[in-house]
Amino acid sequence: MHELSLIESVARLLKRSAAENGIKRITRVCLVVGKLTMALPEALQFAFETLKKDELFREAVLEIREEPVSCQCQQCQHSFTPEDFEFWCPSCGSPQVKITGGRELYIEFYEGE
Amino acid sequence: MVKVRIAAPVLQENSAAAAENRSLFQELGLFVVNLMSSPGSGKTSILERTLSHLPADLKVGVIEGDIYTTKDAERVAAHGVPVVQINTAGACHLDARMVKAALEDLPLKELDLLLVENVGNLICPAEFDLGEDARVVVLSVTEGADKPLKYPLVFRLAAVALVNKTDLLPYTDCDLDALCRDLRVVNPELTIFPVSARLDTGFAPWVKWLRERVRIKKGRGGGSHEQESAGI
């Protein structure tokens, strides 16, 4: 359940930014979550509900955009999505593979008034 | 209605604290291990065995992460090393700020090696950089050989996997070769040491690995942090 601490961090970031931008109520939050973080969207939503006792978040809707795992081979530069987390290049067989996507965890934007 | 694009990394506070820890460890030439595993895999037993195999002139400090109890810290303290307990009060992982606070209670300047035992969990700790030099994962053969492919991130970011409870292999369906193959599928650069904490076997190559890393870090007072960075 690291989702709860992730949402606590989200809340701190949003509170700070809302104060800086003179926003009193947040209506929509877009969170980008890579598949490799193993943060479950349902658990994030559940944790987000706990924020709603705060006036700032009362009407806020959390939208989660999941990003797939992606890799690039450092030998042949082939880009691919690994099946079952097998980090080998399917083109040349090299294990020298860089993870290029799937670890995202950021607030892209939020809306409020 | 106002739309604010902030593109703010959720873990930016943790990353900042981890960077502070890392630069302090660098300054001190202190090698730091983040020890992770599922509950019951034998992290604390491995830690105790490791302490007993390290030479007396290598000064070790320990940070024990636990949700509520001090049981593990008491076991480790019996070995005569400085231990700080962090109770996460329900949180399923250590974060860099908790470790930063715990450092104040350790004689850091006297230490060569700091072993941080994370909370037993294969998912959450993987996401939180503590400022360590190396992540080490313990996996016991009784947990099932499917763990590397089920929890890839923790194994992908590790430098070492200690496969524990090898004494129980005859009583399980675990195929050690297949397990090692799966570990390398997730992380081709992983160093694997099969051990049995109960029988105290297999520790020599792991302790050699640790001593070598401690020596290198002390020597150049600089880091050997090789994990894929938190940002991609």
Side-chain angles (χ1 to χ4, degrees):
Chain A
M1 259 310 275
H2 59 324
E3 288 85 353
L4 198 57
S5 27
L6 296 181
I7 289 296
E8 283 171 0
S9 298
V10 166
R12 276 199 299 274
L13 291 168
L14 287 174
K15 273 184 190 170
R16 197 185 308 149
S17 177
E20 285 167 9
N21 290 284
I23 289 167
K24 300 275 178 287
R25 282 182 322 177
I26 290 175
T27 50
R28 185 174 166 216
V29 178
C30 179
L31 189 65
V32 180
V33 180
K35 287 270 197 193
L36 261 181
T37 67
M38 302 195 102
L40 300 175
E42 306 83 64
L44 289 168
Q45 290 290 0
F46 178 78
F48 194 75
E49 286 303 308
T50 65
L51 302 180
K52 301 228 166 150
K53 54 186 184 294
D54 186 327
E55 188 61 34
L56 181 64
F57 298 109
R58 185 154 301 166
E59 292 163 36
V61 174
L62 175 65
E63 284 174 20
I64 296 168
R65 196 176 84 222
E66 285 195 278
E67 290 289 334
V69 181
S70 58
C71 293
Q72 188 177 35
C73 176
Q74 301 300 284
Q75 296 294 321
C76 74
Q77 311 307 319
H78 176 65
S79 292
F80 62 99
T81 296
E83 278 177 40
D84 298 329
F85 303 118
E86 293 188 12
F87 300 105
W88 299 87
C89 176
S91 179
C92 74
S94 168
Q96 303 300 323
V97 159
K98 191 178 174 200
I99 297 174
T100 51
R103 296 199 59 201
E104 298 82 355
L105 200 52
Y106 63 92
I107 306 166
E108 187 171 37
F109 67 84
Y110 66 96
E111 291 174 356
E113 51 201 22
Chain B
M1 198 271 289
V2 188
K3 182 169 183 171
V4 186
R5 292 201 164 270
I6 56 175
V10 174
L11 295 174
Q12 61 185 358
E13 290 169 334
N14 189 70
S15 306
E20 283 179 38
N21 290 348
R22 184 162 286 122
S23 78
L24 175 65
F25 300 148
Q26 184 117 345
E27 221 171 272
L28 295 165
L30 176 63
F31 189 72
V32 182
V33 170
N34 180 359
L35 192 62
M36 297 183 275
S37 81
S38 34
S41 64
K43 274 191 305 305
T44 313
S45 303
I46 281 181
L47 213 150
E48 291 185 271
R49 290 293 189 197
T50 304
L51 291 173
S52 71
H53 282 278
L54 285 167
D57 62 349
L58 197 151
K59 298 296 175 206
V60 191
V62 174
I63 293 178
E64 272 293 336
D66 195 289
I67 297 180
Y68 291 111
T69 77
T70 56
K71 288 184 190 306
D72 291 350
E74 287 160 19
R75 280 170 62 184
V76 172
H79 292 262
V81 298
V83 187
V84 179
Q85 173 78 45
I86 300 177
N87 280 129
T88 60
C92 50
H93 56 269
L94 292 180
D95 68 35
R97 286 177 301 175
M98 297 177 195
V99 169
K100 194 169 174 340
L103 294 177
E104 290 171 17
D105 297 321
L106 283 169
L108 286 183
K109 285 184 181 150
E110 296 163 24
L111 300 181
D112 305 307
L113 170 65
L114 177 62
L115 300 170
V116 182
E117 182 178 338
N118 217 311
V119 177
N121 183 336
L122 284 178
I123 300 179
C124 315
E127 215 50 68
F128 292 82
D129 183 5
L130 306 179
E132 71 276 348
D133 292 282
R135 296 179 175 205
V136 174
V137 190
V138 178
L139 175 66
S140 60
V141 299
T142 53
E143 287 168 62
D146 56 353
K147 294 295 169 289
L149 297 178
K150 270 190 170 171
Y151 305 100
L153 191 61
V154 74
F155 294 101
R156 175 73 188 187
L157 300 183
V160 170
L162 293 163
V163 180
N164 192 24
K165 307 190 189 178
T166 50
D167 52 307
L168 296 180
L169 272 171
Y171 311 105
T172 71
D173 295 327
C174 179
D175 176 344
L176 188 59
D177 291 337
L179 176 61
C180 292
R181 200 166 55 235
D182 281 354
L183 283 167
R184 293 220 164 84
V185 161
V186 172
N187 182 354
E189 282 158 23
L190 191 66
T191 302
I192 303 171
F193 300 119
V195 297
S196 163
R198 193 171 75 89
L199 299 183
D200 196 13
T201 53
F203 280 86
W206 152 241
V207 169
K208 183 168 175 252
W209 185 95
L210 260 182
R211 292 180 66 177
E212 180 67 11
R213 296 305 180 286
V214 167
R215 192 183 60 78
I216 293 169
K217 180 107 185 225
K218 255 184 115 73
R220 65 174 179 216
S224 58
H225 182 67
E226 285 165 3
Q227 72 168 57
E228 277 169 336
S229 63
I232 47 170

